[in-house]
């Protein structure tokens, strides 16, 4: 018996096209269903272009942008965790609460990375 998922099977360009479609669907679902994701996108729409007008090196600009994009990644994971927890059960359970709280804590860390990165680069020169 094969150990691979029955949902796997596409290879090459077809796999890449399918993966791209799944990724776009994920972005769409997050944007439509998650207010926190929309807020992180808005923050990035403001902060990333701002880096082009600041007196920072290219390396500093890249780090500032990377910190912003990290928050998007973390929010996608956080939203995915919340969706799975809710899919399993809407019943209040300590493990469900822990999972959601840990996802929220991860996003707090990501936002703290943005704040600290920008502060170090802009304020400590």
């Amino acid at each position: 018996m094969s150990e691979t998922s029955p949902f796997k099977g596409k290879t090459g360009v077809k796999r890449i096209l399918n993966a791209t479609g799944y990724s776009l669907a994920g972005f769409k679902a997050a944007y439509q269903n998650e207010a926190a994701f929309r807020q992180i996108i808005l923050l990035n729409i403001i902060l990333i272009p701002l880096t082009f007008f600041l007196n920072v090196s290219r390396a500093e600009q890249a780090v500032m942008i990377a910190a912003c994009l990290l928050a998007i990644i973390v929010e996608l994971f956080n939203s995915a965790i919340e969706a799975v927890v809710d899919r399993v059960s809407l019943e209040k359970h300590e493990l469900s609460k822990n999972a959601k709280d840990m996802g929220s804590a991860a996003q707090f860390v990501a936002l703290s990375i943005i704040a600290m990165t920008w502060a170090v680069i802009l304020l400590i020169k």
Side-chain angles (χ1 to χ4, degrees):
M1 175 174 264
S2 175
E3 295 286 327
T4 62
S5 167
F7 300 106
K8 303 255 180 201
K10 304 293 183 203
T11 59
V13 174
K14 181 67 173 165
R15 188 194 68 75
I16 293 169
L17 292 174
N18 285 350
T20 300
Y22 302 145
S23 297
L24 294 175
F27 281 120
K28 181 179 178 184
Y31 193 84
Q32 288 177 339
N33 301 311
E34 297 293 336
F37 182 77
R38 291 189 298 273
Q39 292 168 345
I40 295 295
I41 293 298
L42 178 60
L43 183 66
N44 276 267
I45 288 171
I46 294 166
L47 292 181
I48 291 174
L50 181 60
T51 66
F52 292 94
F53 299 100
L54 298 173
N55 185 23
V56 296
S57 71
R58 287 185 184 158
E60 290 169 328
Q61 182 185 22
V63 171
M64 293 167 87
I65 291 171
C68 290
L69 295 175
L70 175 66
I72 293 175
I73 294 168
V74 172
E75 185 54 40
L76 286 167
F77 280 130
N78 184 35
S79 296
I81 290 166
E82 289 181 356
V84 169
V85 167
D86 290 345
R87 166 64 175 91
V88 170
S89 174
L90 294 175
E91 171 187 329
K92 290 191 182 242
H93 190 282
E94 188 64 24
L95 292 176
S96 298
K97 181 183 182 323
N98 289 348
K100 289 184 173 192
D101 288 351
M102 286 182 246
S104 180
Q107 186 56 271
F108 180 81
V109 172
L111 292 171
S112 298
I113 290 170
I114 292 173
M116 289 185 290
T117 300
W118 281 63
V120 166
I121 291 171
L122 296 177
L123 301 176
I124 305 174
K125 279 197 164 209

